[in-house]
Amino acid sequence: LKKELEKEGFNVKLTRDKDVFIELGERANLANQWDGDLFMSIHCNAIDGNAERKKQIQGYHFYVLRAPESEEDKAIARRENKVATLYGEKNAKEELSPLEWFKLEARLEKYKQNSYMYTEELLKSFNGGKIRKQANGVGGAGFMVLVGAMMPAVLIELGFISNLDDEAYMMTDKGQKDLAERISKAVASYKEAVHNYRETLGR
């Protein structure tokens, strides 16, 4: 993905380039230090269950930081946030309290529209790909990895490693290149959409 984005002329920073754990909050802090314009946290999803359930549950899904509207969104945020507690991260928690959401609201409002603009471009770019859309493709919840980002931020679930079809595609060079190209295309389209929106406001 870094290579694909650089082809488009973007300056790309990675929070890590090897298999080490970086605290969830520190990832957003790094993005802030680099004065980023867009923060992406890229994941592969997974569920527990029997073989039939794992066969049924598949697909990509994109998430923004907002109060969850469904139990499913709450559950996925808990799964993603649990990694911090497993690694002993200081102040780790699986869910944000109502008071924490209240404190976040004003800051979220500043970046919310652009975060949604980017998810819209992701949906367009991923449409028709090998991995199908899960539900409506977009959700929101209290992902700790997104909380500190002072910029538009999206968590990308590429597919389910617990689903044999999704996993097989994501394991191939072809699949990884395809997914990287789709994300890169969405970033380029998002940049253009933001530029057009600002020009419209200027007029």
Side-chain angles (χ1 to χ4, degrees), residues 64-82:
V64 297
L65 183 63
R66 72 170 187 220
E69 297 176 353
S70 71
E71 287 303 316
E72 184 180 339
D73 286 350
K74 284 183 183 178
I76 191 170
R78 283 194 296 267
R79 288 201 302 271
E80 294 292 356
N81 293 340
K82 193 172 184 179

Side-chain angles (χ1 to χ4, degrees), residues 10-161:
F10 293 106
N11 179 21
V12 182
K13 298 284 189 180
L14 301 176
T15 58
R16 55 184 173 173
D17 57 9
K18 56 192 173 195
D19 190 15
V20 295
F21 181 74
I22 296 178
E23 292 190 359
L24 302 186
E26 180 59 20
R27 300 176 198 186
N29 287 339
L30 286 169
N32 295 335
Q33 289 170 28
W34 295 326
D35 196 24
D37 296 304
L38 178 66
F39 180 69
M40 291 183 286
S41 187
I42 301 171
H43 300 246
C44 295
N45 214 336
I47 58 164
D48 293 321
N50 58 33
E52 185 58 32
R53 174 168 164 74
K54 289 180 178 180
K55 183 178 179 181
Q56 291 175 353
I57 305 298
Q58 64 183 125
Y60 60 82
H61 212 103
F62 312 125
Y63 292 90
V64 297
L65 183 63
R66 72 170 187 220
E69 297 176 353
S70 71
E71 287 303 316
E72 184 180 339
D73 286 350
K74 284 183 183 178
I76 191 170
R78 283 194 296 267
R79 288 201 302 271
E80 294 292 356
N81 293 340
K82 193 172 184 179
V83 68
T85 61
L86 292 174
Y87 278 89
E89 183 172 333
K90 186 173 65 176
N91 301 322
K93 57 183 68 179
E94 292 185 19
E95 289 188 67
L96 294 174
S97 70
L99 178 58
E100 287 168 320
W101 276 117
F102 178 76
K103 291 177 178 178
L104 273 173
E105 282 302 317
R107 179 163 62 80
L108 287 178
E109 195 62 35
K110 183 177 180 181
Y111 306 114
K112 184 169 64 176
Q113 181 175 357
N114 280 25
S115 295
Y116 277 111
M117 284 173 69
Y118 180 52
T119 60
E120 285 297 316
E121 297 305 329
L122 280 168
L123 286 172
K124 293 176 193 173
S125 186
F126 271 65
N127 186 38
K130 177 74 171 175
I131 296 179
R132 294 181 296 180
K133 180 168 61 176
Q134 186 202 18
N136 66 1
V138 177
F143 295 98
M144 298 306 298
V145 71
L146 301 182
V147 167
M150 304 295 287
M151 65 199 72
V154 175
L155 186 144
I156 297 171
E157 293 284 5
L158 294 171
F160 282 80
I161 55 173

